[in-house]
Amino acid sequence: MKLICAPMATLTHAAFRSVVEKSGGCDEYYSEMINAGTFVTGGPFEKYYVIPDPAPEKMVWQITGRKTEHIVRAAEMIAALPGSGIDINMGCSAPEIMRSGAGAAWLTRDRAETREMISGVCNALQHAPYSAALGICRKAVRPVQRAACFNRFKRRCARRCFTERCAQSSSAC
């Protein structure tokens, strides 16, 4: 069984991960959510989200965004960093994230658009492991949409690691 430090906005930064590592550590550390658009355009704060301390080999970089081209480019850039993989956040149902078109908003989009993003990341990361966090928030996304997106991702990227996280405990649900 793996012990994983899950991605938590404003919490799973390098300083927090260092405290966890000094207290016994875990098998994988997820980064805070990295906004792909801000990251690829050189936003002033995104550089802090990609500090791989304290255990670079255990890092999983979580990215989110509203534009396919930004997510694909961010995945390419982040794949060059030390770490064990990339996680596409398609599960965050926080209202501000959903309104921006990121996170679980991907599950409400036209199939072709979601497919294009997933395919773009699959093609860009031929040799890097990645996953997608698909939320199952009852109010954010209808069950049929969740299942359809989940199955599309599974069919297209079955050769890679992939996860589904439950977001039912979120206050947005």
Side-chain angles (χ1 to χ4, degrees):
M1 180 172 84
K2 279 187 166 184
L3 183 58
I4 297 172
C5 181
M8 295 172 278
T10 73
L11 187 59
T12 52
H13 44 69
F16 176 80
R17 295 189 306 263
S18 293
V19 170
V20 172
E21 186 70 14
K22 288 176 184 171
S23 300
C26 58
D27 298 305
E28 285 183 339
Y29 294 98
Y30 277 70
S31 70
E32 293 182 79
M33 210 170 17
I34 300 166
N35 182 297
T38 307
F39 182 73
V40 301
T41 59
F45 301 109
E46 302 312 293
K47 64 185 174 192
Y48 299 111
Y49 296 137
V50 294
I51 297 171
D53 298 340
E57 70 284 356
K58 295 179 181 182
M59 282 303 304
V60 177
W61 306 103
Q62 186 185 82
I63 59 175
T64 192
R66 64 182 179 92
K67 292 186 176 180
T68 294
E69 60 271 16
H70 288 160
I71 292 174
V72 171
R73 180 66 186 128
E76 291 170 339
M77 292 168 69
I78 291 170
L81 298 172
S84 64
I86 294 172
D87 178 59
I88 305 165
N89 184 312
M90 294 173 60
C92 182
S93 60
E96 63 275 11
I97 301 297
M98 291 282 292
R99 278 192 301 275
S100 77
W106 278 99
L107 304 180
T108 66
R109 294 183 185 201
D110 180 69
R111 269 188 226 172
E113 190 176 2
T114 303
R115 185 180 305 121
E116 178 186 349
M117 186 271 289
I118 292 169
S119 296
V121 171
C122 287
N123 293 333
L125 302 178
Q126 289 298 317
H127 304 290
Y130 62 89
S131 64
L134 304 176
I136 56 172
C137 176
R138 291 184 308 272
K139 292 181 183 174
V141 183
R142 292 185 320 210
V144 172
Q145 290 171 313
R146 288 193 305 265
C149 186
F150 178 86
N151 288 328
R152 282 194 307 274
F153 183 83
K154 203 160 90 172
R155 278 194 307 273
R156 175 66 177 99
C157 305
R159 67 186 182 279
R160 305 268 169 80
C161 170
F162 131 85
T163 62
E164 179 177 15
R165 282 197 299 260
C166 177
Q168 287 183 341
S169 62
S170 169
S171 60
C173 297

